[in-house]
Amino acid sequence: MFGNLETLAPDPILGVTAAFRRDPDPTKVDLGVGVYRDEYGNTPVPAAVREAERALLAEQRTKVYVGPAGNLEFNERIVALALGPLAGQLRERTATIQTVGGCGALRMGAELLHAAAPDSVVHVSDPTWANHEPLLGNSGIALERYPYYEPATRSVAFDRMLGHIDRLPAGAVVLLHACCHNPTGVDLGPEQWRAVADVLERRNLVPFVDLAYQGFGDDLEADVAGLRLLAARLPTLLLAISCSKNFGLYRERAGAFAIVAENAATARAIATHQARTGRRMYSMPPDHGAAIAARVLVDPALRQAWEAELAAMVARMKQLRTLLAGRLAARRPDLDFSWLTRQRGMFSLLGLAPAAITALCGEEHVYMPPDGRINLAGVSDANVDRVADSITRVIGRR
Ligand SMILES: Cc1ncc(COP(=O)(O)O)c(C=O)c1O
């Protein structure tokens, strides 16, 4: 039955991890992986998350199903974390379902879009996270791209982006990264969010916000300022939330998908469709990760501890950006590396030619996907000089 299936090429990002693992070089560096790393190369579970997990395990008396929408307290708390005081104001208009991580949330959104408006088109940034197109497109929804990144200035190609969005037909869906744009690290500023909100409102466009890094850019509030602006102004908004990075819950697959609808009746109808969509794909979401995140958010002491740990992770990433930019500038004073410090989150694009990226992986044993996206959290005090030397050696290769 399956004999006609050909073996597929590895996923571009997961393939980098596999190549890194195979490499026997003791000085190899992995800048490809999409997870936070501490100074020792570990991806820790925040202490507050472990504490919440211990408490839950001690109390848990049953493993019965959680229900199609998942953990209702989690759904409420995680949307409140994203939308702040607006969450209360919009409660009647919001339908939320717990999902299998942020990917599950994105897919749930695409499935609902496809069911409700099969002809709608989702416009994603160019470039965007490598899994957006497969994940959304596999639901059957059509995808197009809008200009986002200006390689020459290593910033948002804002005029082109806005001009493009301003020409989209009413009802088009625009996927926006709330913060820490993956893979470029360049985010919209407050004025730019306002201008985007104006155009979305004026042209009856629908924002679909991917919130995978709340708290990873600047802080838990600043990172969602743009999202909140859109939620306050637009009649309809789709929101995919991931708890993988900020709670360190990667493998527990905790996330949520919410729609803020035009009115309460539509939100109630959407909730039934969310439940049915989940039921048809996997029936019920897993409990553990969402229950942990809810516990952290509900318990004031755990929440405070978690926020402090998250702030420390962000401070480390910013410090690594400064560190690497400084070491590169010391080697190539003729080149500007300050863009590294202006970008946000874990990722930046090196902006080197394909031959240079191939040489980094093959000759220098410094791994990253073919687009040259580096994860700053893979840099450390111990390897920064080695990384800077390697990058310097391949700059200019074509
Ligand atoms: C931009 C973006 N969206 C969504 C996700 C999905 O995260 P999750 O691991 O929770 O499915 C990621 C994960 O890397 C991401 O980078």
Side-chain angles (χ1 to χ4, degrees):
M1 180 179 281
F2 299 107
N4 58 341
L5 294 184
E6 285 169 14
T7 303
L8 300 173
D11 173 282
I13 295 180
L14 303 182
V16 176
T17 308
F20 174 79
R21 290 214 179 108
R22 280 195 306 272
D23 186 344
D25 185 307
T27 71
K28 64 186 176 178
V29 179
D30 183 5
L31 300 183
V33 68
V35 303
Y36 175 79
R37 293 250 169 95
D38 66 14
E39 179 62 23
Y40 309 101
N42 300 319
T43 302
V45 185
V49 168
R50 269 187 290 132
E51 188 53 44
E53 186 167 36
R54 261 194 297 275
L56 281 172
L57 287 178
E59 289 164 14
Q60 199 167 58
R61 294 285 171 269
T62 180
K63 295 279 187 191
V64 291
Y65 299 115
V66 289
N71 181 324
L72 301 183
E73 173 137 67
F74 166 77
N75 291 350
E76 184 159 341
R77 297 279 173 167
I78 206 71
V79 170
L81 184 70
L83 298 183
L86 265 180
Q89 293 164 34
L90 298 173
R91 179 173 290 120
E92 300 291 302
R93 284 175 48 206
T94 307
T96 309
I97 184 166
Q98 185 195 317
T99 57
V100 181
C103 288
L106 289 160
R107 183 56 181 261
M108 174 64 74
E111 293 287 339
L112 290 173
L113 273 173
H114 193 243
D119 295 333
S120 55
V121 178
V122 178
H123 298 260
V124 301
S125 64
D126 184 16
T128 197
W129 176 46
N131 206 19
H132 270 150
E133 286 171 328
L135 201 53
L136 300 169
N138 208 36
S139 69
I141 204 91
L143 295 172
E144 285 179 22
R145 290 182 167 210
Y146 60 84
Y148 184 77
Y149 184 61
E150 194 61 80
T153 55
R154 296 178 186 267
S155 56
V156 180
F158 191 65
D159 292 345
R160 285 198 290 129
M161 172 187 176
L162 204 65
H164 187 98
I165 292 178
D166 208 355
R167 288 190 294 277
L168 296 180
V173 179
V174 182
L175 187 94
L176 297 154
H177 300 221
C179 59
C180 307
H181 185 271
N182 182 0
T184 67
V186 302
D187 287 340
L188 299 175
E191 285 304 315
Q192 294 173 327
W193 276 109
R194 259 189 290 281
V196 168
D198 287 344
V199 172
L200 295 177
E201 197 172 26
R202 179 158 46 77
R203 296 198 66 86
N204 282 319
L205 305 175
V206 179
F208 188 164
V209 180
D210 184 2
L211 178 57
Y213 297 95
Q214 185 176 2
F216 255 58
D218 284 312
D219 58 57
L220 284 167
E221 297 289 306
D223 290 355
V224 284
L227 162 68
R228 290 180 185 177
L229 185 77
L230 300 185
R233 286 182 49 183
L234 288 145
T236 304
L237 175 132
L238 286 72
L239 175 61
I241 302 175
S242 165
C243 299
S244 300
K245 320 286 155 120
N246 51 6
F247 286 89
L249 280 169
Y250 305 86
R251 69 169 63 162
E252 301 298 353
R253 313 305 297 128
F257 175 71
I259 295 183
V260 180
E262 260 174 287
N263 55 53
T266 307
R268 283 194 296 275
I270 290 169
T272 65
H273 285 264
Q274 288 173 331
R276 189 176 71 174
T277 305
R279 184 89 173 132
R280 286 177 174 179
M281 289 198 288
Y282 51 78
S283 187
M284 313 266 177
D287 172 63
H288 195 62
I292 293 170
R295 186 65 171 245
V296 170
L297 293 173
V298 171
D299 183 310
L302 289 180
R303 182 168 179 146
Q304 202 182 11
W306 168 67
E307 288 188 11
E309 288 181 271
L310 185 57
M313 289 194 247
V314 179
R316 183 178 130 73
M317 280 179 305
K318 287 189 174 176
Q319 184 219 331
L320 289 171
R321 287 182 171 279
T322 307
L323 186 70
L324 181 60
R327 299 297 163 96
L328 287 167
R331 285 161 177 78
R332 288 296 301 266
D334 55 319
L335 298 177
D336 176 23
F337 295 99
S338 62
W339 48 271
L340 265 173
T341 63
R342 287 194 299 276
Q343 297 176 355
R344 286 283 173 276
M346 294 198 290
F347 305 117
S348 279
L349 290 176
L350 276 181
L352 299 176
I357 304 297
T358 307
L360 270 175
C361 299
E363 296 166 26
E364 300 289 337
H365 308 271
V366 176
Y367 287 83
M368 66 200 62
D371 64 357
R373 185 196 78 171
I374 56 166
N375 178 354
L376 272 297
V379 177
S380 65
D381 285 326
N383 70 22
V384 64
D385 282 310
R386 186 217 177 294
V387 169
D389 282 337
S390 291
I391 293 174
T392 311
R393 273 195 290 270
V394 305
I395 285 177
R397 291 230 201 153
R398 303 252 149 242

